[in-house]
Amino acid sequence: MRVCLVTPEPGHPLLAAATALLEAAGHRVESLDPDTVAQAPADLADVYLLKSRTPQALDLARELERRGAPVLNSAAATTLCQDRTEMAELALRGGLPFAGTRTYGSLAVWAAGEPLGASPLVVKSRHSRRHDLVARVDDRARLGELAAAWPQEPVVVQEFAPNSGWDHKLWAIGDRVFAALRRSELAPEGRGPTRPLALAELPPGWADLVRRTGEVFALDVYGVDLIDTGDGTPLIVDVNAFPGIRGQAGAPEALAALALDRAARR
């Protein structure tokens, strides 16, 4: 089989490990840097792994799909996960326990408009990307600081749900689910280290909730950020298309197997 990685970083640990497994089994692995490739190649691979979210990468993925190539994740599913407003709307329509979300055209407009209301609140950039805005707002002074720094930023606003201060980082590759704990960037101490977590340590039903999220969002490789709001009650606060999934035993094997399965279906 020919597997192609759509990424400027084929040496990413997850991709590199999966590549080694595939090549050891006699398969061919290539890579396309979407930032430098002008168009999709004439000779299509059997499956493409979309580990990039840039506009160029999404355009390339759409062209590959138009020509009949399987792309994991699809361009449409990847694009949806970059818009936190659409993400929340789809999750709630799908019956998932997702944080209630309000959207504002800019942070400055929200700050100058309606009363702050119930607090604390969480404000995030509407469009998910590296180094985007994710902050806790307890009062108007903090809101003013953020509005001064990010005045034109489109944002979503969610009520802060009391929790332990640790995010459950759950990832899925096909049907395989992996888990870890990471101190939240909203905790007083700031973002902390990631700790391994066995699936058996998750509250009942959480792994199935992750798989259900993948079905709702039509994702194959994805991450779900959950918080425990008490007694094992989950609240989804984010969904990510093709995250890094670093340091998870079995993840490269799961990715290699998924790629071959989708290639064989073609």
Side-chain angles (χ1 to χ4, degrees), residues 122-141:
V122 178
V123 58
K124 304 176 182 179
S125 297
R126 173 174 178 171
H127 302 290
S128 176
R129 61 193 187 279
R130 282 187 180 180
H131 311 302
D132 60 1
L133 172 63
V134 179
R136 174 172 165 164
V137 174
D138 288 272
D139 50 41
R140 294 206 67 85

Side-chain angles (χ1 to χ4, degrees), residues 104-109 127 129 133 146-155:
Y104 296 91
S106 75
L107 186 48
V109 167
H127 302 290
R129 61 193 187 279
L133 172 63
L146 293 174
W150 301 73
Q152 302 307 314
E153 184 75 2
V155 295

Side-chain angles (χ1 to χ4, degrees), residues 56-212:
Q56 296 91 331
L58 294 169
D59 285 344
L60 176 60
R62 292 185 190 99
E63 173 64 13
L64 293 167
E65 290 169 344
R66 187 189 68 78
R67 292 171 55 189
V71 180
L72 310 179
N73 300 294
S74 72
T78 301
T79 299
L80 190 148
C81 288
Q82 291 181 286
D83 187 323
R84 288 189 170 108
T85 298
E86 293 188 6
M87 179 192 302
E89 291 173 351
L90 177 58
L92 294 171
R93 286 199 307 271
L96 301 175
F98 198 91
T101 302
R102 309 193 306 270
T103 303
Y104 296 91
S106 75
L107 186 48
V109 167
W110 175 46
E114 63 189 73
L116 191 59
S119 61
L121 299 171
V122 178
V123 58
K124 304 176 182 179
S125 297
R126 173 174 178 171
H127 302 290
S128 176
R129 61 193 187 279
R130 282 187 180 180
H131 311 302
D132 60 1
L133 172 63
V134 179
R136 174 172 165 164
V137 174
D138 288 272
D139 50 41
R140 294 206 67 85
R142 176 58 173 155
L143 178 57
E145 292 173 0
L146 293 174
W150 301 73
Q152 302 307 314
E153 184 75 2
V155 295
V156 298
V157 178
Q158 301 166 342
E159 290 189 12
F160 178 83
N163 62 89
S164 67
W166 289 82
D167 292 338
H168 285 77
K169 307 290 293 184
L170 302 180
W171 303 282
I173 301 175
D175 289 333
R176 288 283 306 276
V177 177
F178 305 88
L181 278 174
R182 188 175 70 190
R183 194 174 65 218
S184 171
E185 57 200 314
L186 302 176
E189 305 90 343
R191 175 173 288 178
T194 299
R195 299 178 179 176
L197 186 68
L199 290 185
E201 298 179 69
L202 291 173
W206 280 34
D208 288 338
L209 174 59
V210 171
R211 297 185 183 100
R212 171 61 182 155

Side-chain angles (χ1 to χ4, degrees), residues 3-7 15 46-52 58 61 64-65 69-78 172-174 218-222 241-243 254-265:
V3 178
C4 186
L5 314 176
V6 181
T7 176
L15 298 180
D46 295 301
V47 65
Y48 291 83
L49 304 184
L50 180 58
K51 184 69 176 75
S52 179
L58 294 169
L64 293 167
E65 290 169 344
V71 180
L72 310 179
N73 300 294
S74 72
T78 301
I173 301 175
L219 291 165
D220 301 283
V221 184
Y222 58 98
F242 219 127
L255 183 59
L258 177 65
L260 294 178
D261 175 71
R262 293 306 171 88
R265 292 187 194 183

